[in-house]
Amino acid sequence: MLFFFPSSRGSFFSFLEKQKSFSALSCLALLFFPLAIFATPPPPITQAQQILSLKEEEAQQHLPIQIQGVVTAADPSWNGQFFIQDSSAGVFVDSRVQPIPTPGTLLRVTGVTEPGAFAPIVGRPLWKAVGSSSLPPAKSVSIEQLVTGSEDGQRVQVQGWVHSARKEAGQWILALVEGSSRVDLMLPRNFEPPISKFLGAKISTAGVPTPKRMNYNLRRLVSVQLWLSSSDDLRLIQPASPDPRSSPPTPIRSITQYSIDNSPGRRFLIQGIVTFHSGDTLYLSDATGGLEVRLAEEIAPKIGDEIEVVGFPIVERGLPILVDAIFSPTGNQGKV
Protein backbone atom coordinates (compact mmCIF):
# COMPACT_ATOMS: atom_id res chain seq x y z
CA MET A 1 0.00 0.00 0.00
CA LEU A 2 1.35 3.45 -0.89
CA PHE A 3 1.07 6.50 1.37
CA PHE A 4 1.52 10.08 0.28
CA PHE A 5 2.56 12.71 2.81
CA PRO A 6 2.76 16.47 2.41
CA SER A 7 6.25 17.89 2.05
CA SER A 8 6.11 20.30 5.03
CA ARG A 9 5.08 19.93 8.68
CA GLY A 10 2.36 22.62 8.44
CA SER A 11 0.95 20.99 5.39
CA PHE A 12 1.09 17.65 7.18
CA PHE A 13 -1.15 18.80 10.05
CA SER A 14 -3.50 20.52 7.60
CA PHE A 15 -3.69 17.25 5.73
CA LEU A 16 -4.60 15.38 8.93
CA GLU A 17 -7.35 17.87 9.77
CA LYS A 18 -8.86 17.40 6.33
CA GLN A 19 -8.71 13.65 6.74
CA LYS A 20 -10.55 13.91 10.10
CA SER A 21 -13.27 16.10 8.57
CA PHE A 22 -13.66 13.72 5.67
CA SER A 23 -13.89 10.73 8.04
CA ALA A 24 -16.52 12.47 10.18
CA LEU A 25 -18.65 13.30 7.13
CA SER A 26 -18.27 9.75 5.88
CA CYS A 27 -19.48 8.37 9.19
CA LEU A 28 -22.50 10.67 9.21
CA ALA A 29 -23.38 9.67 5.65
CA LEU A 30 -23.13 5.98 6.53
CA LEU A 31 -25.22 6.59 9.64
CA PHE A 32 -28.14 8.25 7.84
CA PHE A 33 -27.96 6.42 4.50
CA PRO A 34 -30.02 3.43 5.71
CA LEU A 35 -32.66 5.83 7.08
CA ALA A 36 -33.04 7.38 3.64
CA ILE A 37 -33.56 3.95 2.11
CA PHE A 38 -35.97 2.65 4.73
CA ALA A 39 -37.84 5.94 5.45
CA THR A 40 -41.29 5.41 6.93
CA PRO A 41 -44.05 6.23 4.37
CA PRO A 42 -46.51 8.97 5.32
CA PRO A 43 -49.65 7.86 7.17
CA PRO A 44 -52.69 7.37 4.92
CA ILE A 45 -55.26 10.10 4.48
CA THR A 46 -58.45 8.96 6.18
CA GLN A 47 -60.91 11.80 5.46
CA ALA A 48 -62.24 13.15 2.16
CA GLN A 49 -61.81 16.74 3.34
CA GLN A 50 -58.06 16.16 3.68
CA ILE A 51 -57.92 15.13 0.02
CA LEU A 52 -59.85 18.21 -1.15
CA SER A 53 -57.59 20.49 0.91
CA LEU A 54 -54.48 19.47 -1.04
CA LYS A 55 -52.91 21.83 -3.55
CA GLU A 56 -52.37 20.53 -7.08
CA GLU A 57 -48.65 19.88 -6.54
CA GLU A 58 -49.38 18.09 -3.24
CA ALA A 59 -52.00 15.83 -4.83
CA GLN A 60 -49.45 14.89 -7.50
CA GLN A 61 -47.31 13.19 -4.83
CA HIS A 62 -49.66 10.16 -4.80
CA LEU A 63 -50.17 10.20 -1.04
CA PRO A 64 -51.82 7.03 0.33
CA ILE A 65 -55.58 7.08 1.03
CA GLN A 66 -57.81 4.90 3.21
CA ILE A 67 -61.36 6.22 3.55
CA GLN A 68 -64.81 4.82 4.20
CA GLY A 69 -68.04 6.42 3.07
CA VAL A 70 -71.30 6.06 1.19
CA VAL A 71 -71.69 6.26 -2.59
CA THR A 72 -73.67 9.41 -3.40
CA ALA A 73 -73.57 9.43 -7.21
CA ALA A 74 -72.78 6.91 -9.94
CA ASP A 75 -73.95 6.44 -13.51
CA PRO A 76 -73.36 3.73 -16.14
CA SER A 77 -71.92 6.34 -18.51
CA TRP A 78 -69.08 7.03 -16.04
CA ASN A 79 -67.33 3.70 -16.79
CA GLY A 80 -67.01 2.67 -13.14
CA GLN A 81 -66.29 6.08 -11.61
CA PHE A 82 -68.35 7.39 -8.70
CA PHE A 83 -68.54 9.84 -5.80
CA ILE A 84 -68.19 8.83 -2.17
CA GLN A 85 -68.90 10.95 0.91
CA ASP A 86 -67.83 10.48 4.52
CA SER A 87 -68.56 12.64 7.56
CA SER A 88 -66.15 15.33 6.34
CA ALA A 89 -66.85 15.76 2.60
CA GLY A 90 -67.46 14.08 -0.74
CA VAL A 91 -64.76 13.15 -3.26
CA PHE A 92 -64.49 11.64 -6.74
CA VAL A 93 -63.15 8.08 -7.08
CA ASP A 94 -61.51 7.33 -10.43
CA SER A 95 -62.47 3.66 -10.47
CA ARG A 96 -62.70 1.57 -13.65
CA VAL A 97 -64.23 -1.51 -12.07
CA GLN A 98 -67.57 -2.78 -13.34
CA PRO A 99 -70.27 -3.07 -12.21
CA ILE A 100 -70.25 0.28 -10.45
CA PRO A 101 -71.52 0.53 -6.86
CA THR A 102 -74.97 2.03 -6.46
CA PRO A 103 -75.82 5.10 -4.36
CA GLY A 104 -76.34 4.11 -0.74
CA THR A 105 -73.59 1.46 -0.77
CA LEU A 106 -71.08 1.80 2.06
CA LEU A 107 -67.52 1.33 0.76
CA ARG A 108 -64.01 1.03 2.10
CA VAL A 109 -61.68 2.63 -0.46
CA THR A 110 -57.89 2.67 -0.73
CA GLY A 111 -55.86 4.53 -3.33
CA VAL A 112 -53.58 7.51 -3.83
CA THR A 113 -54.13 11.21 -4.31
CA GLU A 114 -54.25 12.68 -7.80
CA PRO A 115 -54.92 16.30 -8.83
CA GLY A 116 -57.88 15.47 -11.09
CA ALA A 117 -59.11 17.74 -13.88
CA PHE A 118 -60.70 20.22 -11.46
CA ALA A 119 -60.39 19.08 -7.82
CA PRO A 120 -58.21 16.46 -6.08
CA ILE A 121 -59.48 12.88 -6.45
CA VAL A 122 -58.85 9.29 -5.36
CA GLY A 123 -56.67 7.62 -7.98
CA ARG A 124 -55.69 3.94 -8.47
CA PRO A 125 -58.55 2.90 -6.19
CA LEU A 126 -59.44 -0.47 -4.75
CA TRP A 127 -62.82 -0.65 -3.06
CA LYS A 128 -64.88 -3.12 -1.09
CA ALA A 129 -68.56 -2.94 -0.15
CA VAL A 130 -68.99 -3.22 3.61
CA GLY A 131 -72.72 -2.52 3.94
CA SER A 132 -75.36 0.03 3.07
CA SER A 133 -76.27 3.44 4.44
CA SER A 134 -78.72 6.27 3.97
CA LEU A 135 -77.40 9.17 1.92
CA PRO A 136 -75.82 12.01 3.91
CA PRO A 137 -77.92 15.12 4.60
CA ALA A 138 -77.85 17.57 1.70
CA LYS A 139 -76.32 20.98 2.35
CA SER A 140 -78.62 23.82 1.26
CA VAL A 141 -76.89 26.13 -1.24
CA SER A 142 -77.88 28.56 -3.99
CA ILE A 143 -77.41 27.73 -7.66
CA GLU A 144 -75.12 30.76 -7.82
CA GLN A 145 -72.89 29.11 -5.21
CA LEU A 146 -73.09 25.82 -7.07
CA VAL A 147 -71.67 27.22 -10.30
CA THR A 148 -68.54 28.49 -8.52
CA GLY A 149 -67.42 24.86 -8.19
CA SER A 150 -66.80 25.06 -4.44
CA GLU A 151 -69.43 22.36 -3.82
CA ASP A 152 -68.03 19.94 -6.41
CA GLY A 153 -68.73 16.37 -5.32
CA GLN A 154 -70.75 17.34 -2.23
CA ARG A 155 -74.35 16.29 -1.70
CA VAL A 156 -76.31 19.56 -1.85
CA GLN A 157 -79.86 20.85 -2.03
CA VAL A 158 -80.93 23.66 -4.37
CA GLN A 159 -84.18 25.21 -5.52
CA GLY A 160 -85.23 27.14 -8.59
CA TRP A 161 -87.59 27.32 -11.56
CA VAL A 162 -87.69 24.60 -14.22
CA HIS A 163 -87.17 26.34 -17.56
CA SER A 164 -86.81 23.43 -19.95
CA ALA A 165 -86.80 19.65 -20.26
CA ARG A 166 -85.04 17.48 -22.82
CA LYS A 167 -84.12 13.83 -23.21
CA GLU A 168 -80.61 12.76 -24.19
CA ALA A 169 -79.42 9.14 -24.45
CA GLY A 170 -82.51 7.95 -22.59
CA GLN A 171 -82.06 10.38 -19.69
CA TRP A 172 -84.25 13.37 -18.83
CA ILE A 173 -82.45 16.65 -18.14
CA LEU A 174 -84.19 19.63 -16.53
CA ALA A 175 -82.75 23.15 -16.67
CA LEU A 176 -83.12 24.71 -13.21
CA VAL A 177 -82.79 28.50 -13.00
CA GLU A 178 -82.36 30.89 -10.10
CA GLY A 179 -81.90 34.51 -11.16
CA SER A 180 -79.09 34.56 -13.74
CA SER A 181 -77.64 31.20 -12.61
CA ARG A 182 -78.65 27.80 -13.95
CA VAL A 183 -77.78 24.14 -13.58
CA ASP A 184 -78.79 21.01 -15.49
CA LEU A 185 -80.54 18.38 -13.36
CA MET A 186 -79.54 14.88 -14.47
CA LEU A 187 -82.51 12.72 -13.51
CA PRO A 188 -82.26 8.97 -12.78
CA ARG A 189 -82.26 7.02 -16.03
CA ASN A 190 -85.28 4.90 -15.16
CA PHE A 191 -87.43 7.92 -14.23
CA GLU A 192 -90.08 9.37 -16.54
CA PRO A 193 -91.01 12.75 -15.01
CA PRO A 194 -94.38 14.42 -15.56
CA ILE A 195 -92.95 17.21 -17.71
CA SER A 196 -96.14 19.26 -17.81
CA LYS A 197 -96.14 19.29 -14.00
CA PHE A 198 -92.53 20.49 -13.68
CA LEU A 199 -92.12 22.90 -16.61
CA GLY A 200 -92.45 26.41 -15.19
CA ALA A 201 -92.75 25.14 -11.61
CA LYS A 202 -90.53 25.97 -8.65
CA ILE A 203 -88.91 22.87 -7.21
CA SER A 204 -86.37 21.78 -4.62
CA THR A 205 -83.95 18.96 -5.32
CA ALA A 206 -80.86 17.25 -3.91
CA GLY A 207 -77.91 15.73 -5.72
CA VAL A 208 -74.18 15.82 -6.39
CA PRO A 209 -72.76 18.61 -8.61
CA THR A 210 -70.14 17.72 -11.21
CA PRO A 211 -68.47 19.72 -13.99
CA LYS A 212 -70.45 19.83 -17.23
CA ARG A 213 -67.96 21.84 -19.25
CA MET A 214 -64.34 22.56 -18.32
CA ASN A 215 -61.39 24.61 -19.50
CA TYR A 216 -58.93 21.77 -18.91
CA ASN A 217 -55.81 23.82 -19.65
CA LEU A 218 -56.69 26.33 -16.92
CA ARG A 219 -58.50 23.83 -14.62
CA ARG A 220 -61.52 26.13 -14.63
CA LEU A 221 -65.19 25.26 -14.42
CA VAL A 222 -67.46 26.55 -17.20
CA SER A 223 -70.82 25.01 -16.30
CA VAL A 224 -72.28 22.53 -13.79
CA GLN A 225 -74.72 19.64 -13.73
CA LEU A 226 -76.43 18.09 -10.70
CA TRP A 227 -76.84 14.30 -10.59
CA LEU A 228 -79.87 12.97 -8.72
CA SER A 229 -79.75 9.47 -7.24
CA SER A 230 -83.53 9.09 -6.80
CA SER A 231 -86.76 10.61 -8.07
CA ASP A 232 -87.61 11.15 -4.40
CA ASP A 233 -85.07 13.98 -4.46
CA LEU A 234 -87.52 16.13 -6.48
CA ARG A 235 -90.02 18.18 -4.48
CA LEU A 236 -92.59 20.62 -5.85
CA ILE A 237 -92.59 24.01 -4.08
CA GLN A 238 -94.84 26.10 -6.35
CA PRO A 239 -96.93 24.73 -9.23
CA ALA A 240 -96.40 26.02 -12.74
CA SER A 241 -98.54 28.88 -13.99
CA PRO A 242 -101.21 27.99 -16.60
CA ASP A 243 -99.97 27.13 -20.08
CA PRO A 244 -99.91 30.46 -21.97
CA ARG A 245 -101.02 28.73 -25.17
CA SER A 246 -104.51 28.60 -23.72
CA SER A 247 -104.68 32.43 -24.02
CA PRO A 248 -104.07 34.94 -26.85
CA PRO A 249 -100.44 35.93 -27.57
CA THR A 250 -98.92 38.74 -25.51
CA PRO A 251 -97.81 41.82 -27.50
CA ILE A 252 -94.01 42.17 -27.48
CA ARG A 253 -94.26 45.64 -25.99
CA SER A 254 -96.02 44.23 -22.91
CA ILE A 255 -93.21 41.80 -22.00
CA THR A 256 -91.79 42.55 -18.50
CA GLN A 257 -94.29 45.38 -17.94
CA TYR A 258 -96.19 45.39 -14.66
CA SER A 259 -98.71 42.63 -14.11
CA ILE A 260 -100.10 41.26 -10.88
CA ASP A 261 -99.55 37.77 -12.32
CA ASN A 262 -95.79 38.19 -12.90
CA SER A 263 -93.49 35.62 -11.29
CA PRO A 264 -90.05 34.15 -12.15
CA GLY A 265 -91.75 31.01 -13.46
CA ARG A 266 -94.32 32.69 -15.68
CA ARG A 267 -94.10 31.86 -19.39
CA PHE A 268 -95.29 34.05 -22.25
CA LEU A 269 -96.71 33.25 -25.67
CA ILE A 270 -95.43 35.59 -28.38
CA GLN A 271 -96.42 35.63 -32.04
CA GLY A 272 -94.35 37.45 -34.64
CA ILE A 273 -92.30 37.45 -37.82
CA VAL A 274 -88.74 36.07 -37.84
CA THR A 275 -86.41 38.92 -38.85
CA PHE A 276 -83.09 37.26 -37.94
CA HIS A 277 -81.89 33.78 -37.03
CA SER A 278 -78.49 32.37 -36.03
CA GLY A 279 -77.94 29.18 -34.02
CA ASP A 280 -80.30 29.20 -31.06
CA THR A 281 -81.02 32.94 -31.29
CA LEU A 282 -83.65 34.69 -33.36
CA TYR A 283 -85.44 38.03 -33.46
CA LEU A 284 -89.19 38.42 -33.72
CA SER A 285 -91.21 41.44 -34.69
CA ASP A 286 -94.89 42.23 -34.25
CA ALA A 287 -96.94 45.41 -34.57
CA THR A 288 -95.71 46.67 -31.17
CA GLY A 289 -91.94 46.05 -31.37
CA GLY A 290 -89.09 43.57 -31.66
CA LEU A 291 -87.76 40.89 -29.30
CA GLU A 292 -84.66 38.70 -28.97
CA VAL A 293 -85.55 35.04 -28.44
CA ARG A 294 -83.14 32.32 -27.27
CA LEU A 295 -84.43 28.88 -28.12
CA ALA A 296 -84.13 25.80 -25.94
CA GLU A 297 -82.82 23.91 -28.99
CA GLU A 298 -81.14 24.95 -32.21
CA ILE A 299 -83.68 24.83 -35.02
CA ALA A 300 -84.03 26.56 -38.35
CA PRO A 301 -87.13 28.71 -38.88
CA LYS A 302 -86.84 30.79 -42.01
CA ILE A 303 -86.57 34.55 -42.01
CA GLY A 304 -89.97 35.93 -42.89
CA ASP A 305 -91.95 33.07 -41.32
CA GLU A 306 -94.61 33.83 -38.76
CA ILE A 307 -94.14 31.68 -35.65
CA GLU A 308 -95.29 31.38 -32.06
CA VAL A 309 -92.79 31.03 -29.21
CA VAL A 310 -93.31 30.20 -25.54
CA GLY A 311 -90.56 31.12 -23.11
CA PHE A 312 -89.41 32.87 -19.94
CA PRO A 313 -88.67 36.62 -19.93
CA ILE A 314 -85.46 38.06 -18.51
CA VAL A 315 -83.93 41.53 -18.75
CA GLU A 316 -80.43 42.19 -20.10
CA ARG A 317 -78.99 45.65 -20.69
CA GLY A 318 -82.42 47.08 -19.92
CA LEU A 319 -84.17 45.08 -22.67
CA PRO A 320 -86.49 42.05 -22.38
CA ILE A 321 -85.33 38.72 -23.81
CA LEU A 322 -87.30 35.48 -24.04
CA VAL A 323 -85.15 32.48 -23.01
CA ASP A 324 -85.53 28.69 -23.05
CA ALA A 325 -88.19 29.19 -25.69
CA ILE A 326 -89.90 26.59 -27.84
CA PHE A 327 -91.49 27.54 -31.14
CA SER A 328 -94.15 26.35 -33.52
CA PRO A 329 -95.08 27.70 -36.96
CA THR A 330 -98.45 29.39 -37.47
CA GLY A 331 -98.67 28.32 -41.10
CA ASN A 332 -98.10 31.83 -42.42
CA GLN A 333 -94.76 31.90 -44.22
CA GLY A 334 -92.79 34.52 -46.10
CA LYS A 335 -94.29 37.57 -44.41
CA VAL A 336 -91.17 39.69 -44.98
Side-chain angles (χ1 to χ4, degrees):
M1 181 179 295
L2 298 177
F3 295 92
F4 297 92
F5 294 98
S7 57
S8 66
R9 183 176 180 181
S11 299
F12 176 74
F13 286 109
S14 176
F15 173 76
L16 287 180
E17 289 299 322
K18 290 180 180 179
Q19 289 295 99
K20 289 179 181 178
S21 298
F22 176 77
S23 299
L25 290 173
S26 300
C27 291
L28 287 173
L30 291 174
L31 180 63
F32 289 103
F33 183 68
L35 295 180
I37 296 178
F38 302 105
T40 304
I45 293 174
T46 57
Q47 289 191 321
Q49 183 62 47
Q50 294 175 288
I51 302 171
L52 299 179
S53 299
L54 297 173
K55 297 179 180 179
E56 181 181 357
E57 56 272 19
E58 293 173 328
Q60 290 173 342
Q61 297 176 16
H62 298 144
L63 304 174
I65 295 172
Q66 290 181 10
I67 60 174
Q68 180 169 304
V70 61
V71 177
T72 54
D75 187 80
S77 65
W78 295 359
N79 299 317
Q81 300 165 323
F82 57 89
F83 283 88
I84 188 174
Q85 187 162 331
D86 62 14
S87 59
S88 67
V91 68
F92 182 70
V93 180
D94 189 20
S95 174
R96 304 292 174 170
V97 177
Q98 297 282 4
I100 57 174
T102 57
T105 305
L106 190 64
L107 299 184
R108 186 175 294 125
V109 180
T110 61
V112 296
T113 61
E114 290 184 357
F118 179 61
I121 65 172
V122 179
R124 307 177 195 173
L126 295 174
W127 59 265
K128 179 181 179 181
V130 293
S132 60
S133 173
S134 58
L135 295 180
K139 175 185 176 183
S140 181
V141 300
S142 65
I143 297 179
E144 183 180 17
Q145 173 70 15
L146 206 63
V147 298
T148 66
S150 61
E151 303 298 334
D152 179 66
Q154 315 307 305
R155 182 166 160 79
V156 298
Q157 181 176 16
V158 296
Q159 59 179 249
W161 301 87
V162 179
H163 270 205
S164 66
R166 66 186 188 276
K167 198 171 190 179
E168 296 180 1
Q171 182 179 28
W172 278 101
I173 303 172
L174 305 182
L176 193 67
V177 176
E178 179 190 38
S180 60
S181 301
R182 64 190 296 140
V183 62
D184 277 350
L185 304 183
M186 313 299 291
L187 304 190
R189 291 188 179 274
N190 58 353
F191 178 51
E192 290 291 331
I195 297 301
S196 59
K197 174 183 176 181
F198 286 120
L199 196 58
K202 186 177 185 179
I203 67 169
S204 171
T205 188
V208 176
T210 68
K212 177 184 177 183
R213 293 176 56 210
M214 283 276 303
N215 183 325
Y216 289 97
N217 291 332
L218 299 178
R219 293 174 59 85
R220 288 180 181 171
L221 191 65
V222 177
S223 58
V224 178
Q225 51 195 4
L226 189 73
W227 289 81
L228 282 64
S229 60
S230 169
S231 59
D232 295 335
D233 291 328
L234 286 170
R235 184 169 64 88
L236 185 66
I237 296 177
Q238 183 175 325
S241 57
D243 191 327
R245 286 168 289 198
S246 60
S247 302
T250 299
I252 289 177
R253 184 178 179 180
S254 300
I255 297 293
T256 69
Q257 290 183 348
Y258 170 78
S259 170
I260 197 171
D261 297 322
N262 281 346
S263 73
R266 184 185 177 189
R267 293 177 293 166
F268 285 83
L269 171 67
I270 304 295
Q271 181 176 303
I273 306 297
V274 179
T275 58
F276 173 83
H277 174 256
S278 177
D280 62 355
T281 300
L282 58 83
Y283 284 84
L284 286 184
S285 177
D286 68 5
T288 68
L291 179 69
E292 179 181 342
V293 178
R294 297 174 188 169
L295 302 171
E297 298 180 4
E298 288 192 16
I299 47 174
K302 296 179 181 178
I303 294 177
D305 287 353
E306 183 181 67
I307 64 172
E308 290 182 341
V309 293
V310 175
F312 300 85
I314 64 171
V315 176
E316 287 187 2
R317 301 181 299 276
L319 296 174
I321 299 173
L322 211 64
V323 299
D324 296 306
I326 55 175
F327 96 102
S328 58
T330 64
N332 297 323
Q333 298 180 338
K335 289 282 186 177
V336 175

